[in-house]
Amino acid sequence: MKASVNSIETFGLVDGPGIRNVIFLNGCQLRCLYCHNPEMWSKKELNYSSDELVAKIIRNKPYFKRNNGGVTFSGGEPLLQVDFLIDICQKLKKEGIHIALDTSGVGIGKYAEILSLIDLVILDIKHADEKQYLKLTGKSIEESEKFISYLNKSNKSVWIRQVIVPGITDSEVYLTKLAQYIKKINNVEKIEFLPFHHMGFSKYDKLNLKNNLKNIPEMNPQECAKLYEKFLNIYKN
């Protein structure tokens, strides 16, 4: 079985525990206003078989196993290539490799099956409000919440990520709503705030795409850290 792979990172340090091989799969149904990888929206040619990727990953196994690392599937949205994902995860589990899934939860189903093969889910929260989620991503929050319902039944470890965008997800009102939303998700081990940045803006020009947030300033990392501390106080109370 083959997949449309955008790129492979062999020394990832932020997408799960330890050193990771990060596989970026093409295709995404969301059109997040702050997306920094618009080149991955469309599914392109099928360029890697699961056996080819497993062989490549196994060559790096001595490096990431020493650091309690493993493999992370990211994107794009890896759940759009769920049959490939199931196939390769079955092969990786036989090798005793830790598998993380970096996802928005907006796929095409088979959630219980793929979650049974995953060790860690890194869940990207786009927005905790239904109307604002639609405005931000162009899609209903329904599919993401469907995935979360399966995730809650799976008993898998969860890391949460939230991009903090000035004027969109940085208010105290939103932080309160976000805290309430995350409390509905089981087995949350870690919550991360990612400051909005302009690093992917040049891609919009190259792809002749409209950049709806070009006039929004970057989120100051220090201010983002302060918002995170404020959020934790809300979340823990």
Side-chain angles (χ1 to χ4, degrees):
M1 185 171 290
K2 285 195 167 186
S4 175
V5 177
N6 180 273
S7 59
I8 301 170
E9 184 178 353
T10 58
F11 201 81
L13 297 173
V14 296
D15 296 307
I19 295 172
R20 316 289 300 179
N21 278 196
V22 186
I23 315 298
F24 294 92
L25 299 177
N26 287 312
C28 186
Q29 297 183 66
L30 304 182
R31 295 294 180 265
C32 299
L33 297 182
Y34 56 70
C35 180
H36 59 279
N37 290 319
E39 75 280 9
M40 294 189 203
W41 286 349
S42 300
K43 184 178 175 182
K44 303 175 180 65
E45 64 176 304
L46 302 178
N47 55 355
Y48 273 95
S49 72
S50 58
D51 288 338
E52 287 172 330
L53 271 181
V54 169
K56 183 182 284 286
I57 290 164
I58 288 175
R59 287 198 293 270
N60 295 317
K61 187 176 177 180
Y63 297 100
F64 59 70
K65 286 292 283 187
R66 285 202 301 265
N67 295 275
N68 297 313
V71 175
T72 300
F73 291 97
S74 187
E77 175 50 68
L79 289 175
L80 291 185
Q81 300 190 58
V82 68
D83 289 328
F84 171 83
L85 207 55
I86 290 168
D87 180 45
I88 192 170
C89 286
Q90 287 172 340
K91 294 171 181 176
L92 293 174
K93 294 309 288 184
K94 291 177 182 178
E95 297 292 334
I97 294 173
H98 182 278
I99 305 171
L101 174 68
D102 182 1
T103 178
S104 65
V106 182
I108 53 175
K110 298 189 178 182
Y111 298 142
E113 189 173 357
I114 187 58
L115 285 168
S116 71
L117 300 166
I118 299 298
D119 299 295
L120 168 68
V121 173
I122 303 172
L123 182 63
D124 298 317
I125 301 294
K126 302 304 181 181
H127 205 287
D129 178 81
E130 184 175 352
K131 291 182 179 178
Q132 292 302 314
Y133 183 101
L134 177 61
K135 183 178 179 180
L136 183 66
T137 70
K139 192 172 178 69
S140 166
I141 200 173
E142 183 178 345
E143 190 66 27
S144 177
E145 294 197 329
K146 178 181 176 182
F147 176 80
I148 289 172
S149 70
Y150 279 95
L151 179 58
N152 282 340
K153 295 172 187 174
S154 74
N155 202 36
K156 300 297 180 175
S157 299
V158 180
W159 290 8
I160 299 290
R161 284 178 170 171
Q162 170 72 72
V163 177
I164 303 300
V165 185
I168 298 178
T169 54
D170 64 336
S171 70
E172 189 165 343
V173 171
Y174 180 70
L175 296 182
T176 300
K177 193 171 188 66
L178 177 64
Q180 294 169 344
Y181 192 83
I182 294 176
K183 285 179 181 180
K184 298 177 183 179
I185 302 172
N186 297 338
N187 302 314
V188 174
E189 296 180 349
K190 185 176 182 180
I191 302 171
E192 298 177 305
F193 278 11
L194 307 179
F196 167 72
H197 57 72
H198 294 174
M199 288 172 61
F201 276 17
S202 61
K203 297 178 182 180
Y204 285 80
D205 293 331
K206 290 179 182 178
L207 296 170
N208 197 28
L209 294 171
K210 182 180 180 182
N211 184 348
N212 291 284
L213 297 186
K214 65 180 180 180
N215 295 320
I216 300 296
E218 291 187 315
M219 170 56 67
N220 180 280
Q222 288 75 30
E223 181 62 27
C224 189
K226 291 179 182 177
L227 289 171
Y228 182 71
E229 292 302 318
K230 184 178 291 187
F231 164 81
L232 286 181
N233 289 331
I234 297 170
Y235 182 68
K236 291 175 180 178
N237 294 323

